[in-house]
Amino acid sequence: MQVEDVNDNAPKFSKKEFELEVPENVPPKSRFPLESAQDEDLGENSIQNYTLSPNDHFHLGVESKKDGSKYVDLILENPLDREEEPFFRLTLMAVDGGIPQRTGTVQINIKVLDINDNSPEFTQSEYKVRLKENSPQHTLISKVEARDLDFGSNAQVTYSFHRVPEKIRNLFQLNEITGEITVLEEIDYEKETSYDMSIKATDAGGLSGHCNVLVEVEDMNDNAPEIAVISINSPLPEDSSLETLVALFSVTDEDSGENGKTLCSVDMNLPFVLKATVNNFYQLMTQSFLDREKVAEYNVTIIATDSGSPRLTSTRIVHVKISDVNDNPPVFVKSLFEMQIQENNIPGLLIGSIQADDLDMEQNAKMTYSLLSGNISGGTVASYISINSETGNIYALRSLDYEKIKDFKVTVRVKDHGTPPLSSDAMIHIIVTDENDNTPFFLYPLQNSTSPCNELLPKMTEAGYLITKVVAVDGDSGQNSWLSYELLKATDPGLFSIGTQNGEVKTRRPLTEKDTNKHRLVVAVKDNGVPPQTSTAMLNILLVDGFSDPYLKVVDVRQQDPEDEGTLTMYLVICLASVSFVFLLCIIAFVGIKMCKKDHGSSLIVAPPHFPPTIPENCTDSQSGSLSRNYQYDVCLTNGSLSSEFRFLRPLIPVFSVVDPNLPVSHKTNSHDLTHSLEDNKSMEQGQASLSEDAAPRSGGPSCTVNQAIGANVNSGQNDWLSYQ
């Protein structure tokens, strides 16, 4: 199978534009190869011909090689002239032989390069100028100009002197780029009246042109007056009297006639005046009083002018310094200096600095600072602060306490070293700022190591009941003394609340039977300082049925340190283990004794005790309680007691149950009754227990200890009345 080509590709050039540079002196029939177009088709569909846009200077030359490819050249037909046409823009087209026929184009940009075929030409063949003598340096005399029709570097013209003597080169300067002729040195009419010089203009190709310049010098009043200072009195004391001689000088002029006559003057705004003497001598004298603090030195300009035309002027500056006199006392920048220092400062701390200014200078301006004597809170000023005599820095000599000294004032004096010395005083107000260095202190409850603070709370109170008010103070001031209260810890956090600002301790909710009888609150008070200081207080709250209840159980309010709780727990575990071990030994011994008694039970004879027939009336059961004996209470109120106990004391004799006195009592007791009585006695002994519960009276009152003892006597009548101590 053979694939036949179709003309589906147009000729393409590698670039859209070709750039050519052709010198203008290229001879005709010169060839310039061009890049051929490319066509991907084959045979007749490939490139067959090239065409060029019409023009008067170029045409195409197309050649074919053995492989069928075609190469194209650009051929020059007519000579080029850059001055007439410097640029050509041609279009080259490549045409293939396919059907339909396809073409490709490229633009050819031809730049004609210049050649140096034109020499420079001056606009004038001769230049005539007039120059005044003594013209200043770099004065423009004339400017020559030459033009070149070429382009680029061929048109760049440089100027130079041509066949001129050395003295002209020393007097005049020619700028080789601009053609400007300026004065290089002084032109003197008395030496030369005119100057003739030849100027050459050369381009980059070496072609040149020439012109002539004639300079005529005009005579002028070229000799200015000369001022010669003979003597000068400097420095001049500022307290000099009027018409004091400052300087002596003379004025001369080398010219003659009117040009030699001179006139001198000084600025009228200065405190000096000129006084003419003989033979053109002048004196500079003071005409008003001097003040160095206002003007420390003067530059007196003496102006001398001749009478020529034009008039020439000469100046001479006389430098007059004014010496200082101690006529100004030192003055503080302000009469009252305010400084702040924070309390508890370290000794030697820089508090601040004072400053004084003295308008005088040198020795008269040197100042010494000192503190005047005085008292501060019973002490001398020198014991509290010191001052650097040279710099005026104020230092604290001791640590200050805001709570003792809030501010103080001292007087400082500054004195200069002039003759005579001058001085002035100023006041320093030192304000001691507060530091948060005092922790809040509880006024109530007072925290000490003697007794805790206990508060009684009736069980029937409702929510919002005011229990007590915590009061604290802070030795600091301002923001550091703003206190806020917080309930840090509580046995039941949901039961109590404390006012953040007023410290009032109140109940959040009504009390219930589930609430414990003792509550411990840890109250924290914090100030508003940076960093804040915090103190804590312990408050015990005891729940009671009423404040008049005589059966109030007093509970233990002994404060335990948190760090002792772990040790106490360890001791309790050891005690519990020891008691358990002893109890186990007792059980084993009891079982052994029982077994031994069973073996000898038949030989044991029990003698029944003799019971009283009646029981006295004062031993009847109490109608208000469950106990069978009347109670006696021993109440001991002590200030230092931290704990109270309420115990049932075990009697030293057997205790028997007491019957109703109205019932008949039998004096005869058999062995069964005796055994029953012994068992009741044993059960009563086992039922006795020691009870302990924490309690406390109202805060601020002494602790209360209530001990209850229960006993019985087998005697009757007054013989069974028992007393407790």
Side-chain angles (χ1 to χ4, degrees):
M1 180 180 293
Q2 182 178 0
V3 180
E4 294 183 355
D5 182 40
V6 295
N7 190 22
D8 55 352
N9 293 285
K12 293 181 181 179
F13 289 93
S14 61
K15 299 179 181 179
K16 294 183 179 180
E17 292 183 358
F18 290 155
E19 303 289 340
L20 291 179
E21 293 183 351
V22 180
E24 64 175 333
N25 60 348
V26 172
K29 297 184 180 180
S30 297
R31 302 177 69 92
F32 304 95
L34 300 177
E35 182 180 347
S36 302
Q38 302 295 327
D39 194 332
E40 296 181 359
D41 295 326
L42 302 175
E44 293 295 330
N45 296 329
S46 63
I47 297 174
Q48 301 298 321
N49 192 17
Y50 289 92
T51 60
L52 184 66
S53 60
N55 64 93
D56 296 333
H57 294 83
F58 297 94
H59 69 275
L60 290 179
V62 181
E63 294 183 359
S64 298
K65 290 192 175 182
K66 295 181 180 180
D67 57 356
S69 59
K70 291 179 172 54
Y71 292 91
V72 60
D73 293 334
L74 190 64
I75 303 174
L76 179 63
E77 290 184 357
N78 299 318
L80 300 175
D81 188 356
R82 190 205 65 80
E83 287 74 23
E84 293 182 359
E85 192 170 1
F87 190 79
F88 295 92
R89 182 175 285 106
L90 306 178
T91 302
L92 177 63
M93 180 184 295
V95 183
D96 61 13
I99 298 175
Q101 192 179 52
R102 296 180 180 272
T103 61
T105 60
V106 65
Q107 185 172 320
I108 302 174
N109 298 323
I110 301 174
K111 182 179 180 182
V112 180
L113 301 179
D114 182 52
I115 62 172
N116 191 23
D117 54 352
N118 295 283
S119 60
E121 293 183 0
F122 283 96
T123 57
Q124 292 178 276
S125 60
E126 185 177 9
Y127 295 84
K128 291 182 178 182
V129 293
R130 298 180 64 85
L131 177 65
K132 295 179 181 180
E133 68 168 333
N134 300 324
S135 295
Q137 237 181 0
H138 306 300
T139 298
L140 180 62
I141 301 173
S142 179
K143 181 178 180 181
V144 297
E145 183 180 1
R147 298 177 181 177
D148 196 320
L149 297 179
D150 293 325
F151 178 76
S153 60
N154 295 326
Q156 294 180 357
V157 179
T158 58
Y159 303 93
S160 61
F161 288 117
H162 181 64
R163 297 176 182 178
V164 295
E166 187 67 23
K167 65 177 182 180
I168 293 181
R169 296 180 182 270
N170 295 333
L171 292 175
F172 302 98
Q173 182 180 15
L174 176 62
N175 190 310
E176 63 179 6
I177 303 300
T178 62
E180 293 180 348
I181 303 174
T182 57
V183 176
L184 187 60
E185 291 185 0
E186 184 181 359
I187 306 298
D188 193 353
Y189 177 82
E190 287 73 22
K191 294 181 180 180
E192 194 77 31
T193 59
S194 65
Y195 299 92
D196 192 2
M197 61 192 78
S198 177
I199 307 297
K200 181 175 69 172
T202 307
D203 62 13
L207 301 180
S208 61
H210 299 81
C211 75
N212 193 46
V213 178
L214 178 62
V215 179
E216 296 180 354
V217 181
E218 294 181 356
D219 186 24
M220 301 294 293
N221 183 25
D222 57 346
N223 293 299
E226 295 181 359
I227 303 172
V229 177
I230 299 173
S231 65
I232 184 170
N233 183 16
S234 179
L236 186 66
E238 64 175 326
D239 59 348
S240 298
S241 60
L242 299 179
E243 296 186 355
T244 300
L245 180 63
V246 179
L248 178 64
F249 62 93
S250 64
V251 178
T252 60
D253 195 326
E254 294 181 356
D255 294 330
S256 59
E258 291 295 324
N259 295 332
K261 294 180 180 181
T262 60
L263 180 64
C264 286
S265 63
V266 295
D267 191 354
M268 298 300 294
N269 295 325
L270 296 178
F272 305 105
V273 65
L274 284 177
K275 184 177 181 181
T277 61
V278 295
N279 298 328
N280 292 330
F281 281 88
Y282 294 88
Q283 291 179 345
L284 183 64
M285 307 177 70
T286 59
Q287 67 173 349
S288 61
F289 293 104
L290 305 176
D291 190 355
R292 190 208 63 81
E293 286 71 34
K294 294 182 179 179
V295 181
E297 59 184 20
Y298 292 92
N299 291 324
V300 182
T301 303
I302 301 173
I303 303 173
T305 306
D306 62 16
S307 300
S309 180
R311 294 187 177 186
L312 297 180
T313 302
S314 296
T315 59
R316 179 69 181 268
I317 298 176
V318 178
H319 187 65
V320 180
K321 290 186 177 180
I322 309 301
S323 60
D324 184 49
V325 176
N326 191 27
D327 56 349
N328 293 282
V331 179
F332 286 98
V333 294
K334 50 186 176 181
S335 59
L336 177 62
F337 293 88
E338 290 190 356
M339 302 178 184
Q340 291 186 354
I341 182 173
Q342 194 172 33
E343 66 171 330
N344 302 322
N345 60 286
I346 59 175
L349 179 67
L350 175 64
I351 303 177
S353 179
I354 61 175
Q355 182 181 358
D357 296 327
D358 196 321
L359 298 179
D360 296 324
M361 61 180 297
E362 296 180 353
Q363 194 71 14
N364 297 328
K366 290 184 178 180
M367 297 175 292
T368 300
Y369 299 92
S370 61
L371 293 174
L372 299 185
S373 60
N375 294 326
I376 301 175
S377 297
T380 61
V381 171
S383 64
Y384 281 86
I385 62 173
S386 67
I387 185 171
N388 189 308
S389 61
E390 295 181 357
T391 62
N393 292 338
I394 307 296
Y395 299 92
L397 297 181
R398 62 169 65 178
S399 180
L400 300 177
D401 188 356
Y402 173 82
E403 285 70 31
K404 295 180 180 179
I405 301 176
K406 292 181 171 55
D407 66 333
F408 57 91
K409 293 182 178 180
V410 296
T411 304
V412 63
R413 173 169 294 174
V414 60
K415 181 172 63 176
D416 61 20
H417 292 187
T419 303
L422 302 176
S423 64
S424 61
D425 299 340
M427 185 71 68
I428 301 177
H429 184 201
I430 298 178
I431 302 172
V432 181
T433 59
D434 185 37
E435 184 182 31
N436 194 24
D437 56 346
N438 292 285
T439 58
F441 177 75
F442 282 95
L443 296 179
Y444 183 82
L446 185 63
Q447 299 297 302
N448 52 38
S449 59
T450 57
S451 61
C453 181
N454 304 311
E455 297 289 342
L456 297 181
L457 177 63
K459 294 183 178 181
M460 301 304 293
T461 58
E462 299 295 333
Y465 178 78
L466 177 62
I467 303 173
T468 185
K469 183 175 182 179
V470 178
V471 181
V473 294
D474 197 312
D476 296 320
S477 65
Q479 183 176 343
N480 297 330
S481 64
W482 298 353
L483 302 181
S484 59
Y485 299 90
E486 179 185 1
L487 189 59
L488 198 62
K489 185 178 179 182
T491 305
D492 188 354
L495 182 55
F496 302 99
S497 66
I498 186 170
T500 305
Q501 303 297 329
N502 54 24
E504 294 181 351
V505 180
K506 297 182 179 180
T507 56
R508 289 179 178 268
R509 57 175 176 80
L511 299 177
T512 62
E513 294 181 356
K514 295 182 180 180
D515 294 327
T516 60
N517 292 330
K518 182 190 72 172
H519 293 270
R520 179 176 296 171
L521 308 182
V522 178
V523 179
V525 59
K526 180 173 65 174
D527 59 25
N528 201 33
V530 178
Q533 300 278 0
T534 305
S535 297
T536 58
M538 188 75 69
L539 185 64
N540 296 306
I541 299 177
L542 308 176
L543 305 185
V544 296
D545 292 333
F547 293 114
S548 61
D549 188 357
Y551 302 106
L552 173 65
K553 294 184 179 181
V554 183
V555 296
D556 186 11
V557 293
R558 183 173 301 152
Q559 185 175 357
Q560 296 180 356
D561 295 334
E563 57 269 14
D564 295 339
E565 292 182 359
T567 306
L568 180 61
T569 302
M570 182 182 67
Y571 290 158
L572 291 176
V573 172
I574 295 174
C575 293
L576 181 61
S578 301
V579 171
S580 300
F581 179 73
V582 173
F583 178 74
L584 183 61
L585 292 179
C586 293
I587 293 299
I588 295 174
F590 179 75
V591 173
I593 293 173
K594 283 293 184 180
M595 293 179 65
C596 292
K597 285 184 178 181
K598 287 182 179 181
D599 295 337
H600 303 284
S602 59
S603 61
L604 180 62
I605 300 175
V606 178
H610 178 73
F611 293 97
T614 60
I615 295 178
E617 294 179 359
N618 57 356
C619 294
T620 59
D621 292 341
S622 175
Q623 297 178 359
S624 60
S626 61
L627 298 178
S628 60
R629 298 289 184 182
N630 289 338
Y631 286 33
Q632 288 185 350
Y633 296 93
D634 184 9
V635 179
C636 179
L637 303 178
T638 61
N639 290 329
S641 178
L642 296 178
S643 62
S644 301
E645 292 183 350
F646 183 71
R647 294 188 178 93
F648 292 94
L649 300 182
R650 182 175 180 178
L652 300 178
I653 61 175
V655 179
F656 300 93
S657 56
V658 180
V659 298
D660 192 342
N662 297 324
L663 296 178
V665 179
S666 175
H667 294 277
K668 294 182 180 181
T669 306
N670 53 23
S671 60
H672 176 72
D673 295 335
L674 178 60
T675 304
H676 180 71
S677 298
L678 290 175
E679 291 177 355
D680 292 341
N681 183 19
K682 183 177 179 181
S683 62
M684 179 176 289
E685 290 178 357
Q686 293 178 353
Q688 294 175 359
S690 176
L691 303 177
S692 177
E693 228 177 312
D694 293 341
R698 292 289 294 179
S699 174
S703 300
C704 178
T705 303
V706 180
N707 295 329
Q708 182 180 24
I710 302 175
N713 197 336
V714 296
N715 296 323
S716 63
Q718 294 183 353
N719 295 328
D720 65 66
W721 294 358
L722 303 180
S723 64
Y724 302 89
Q725 292 183 353

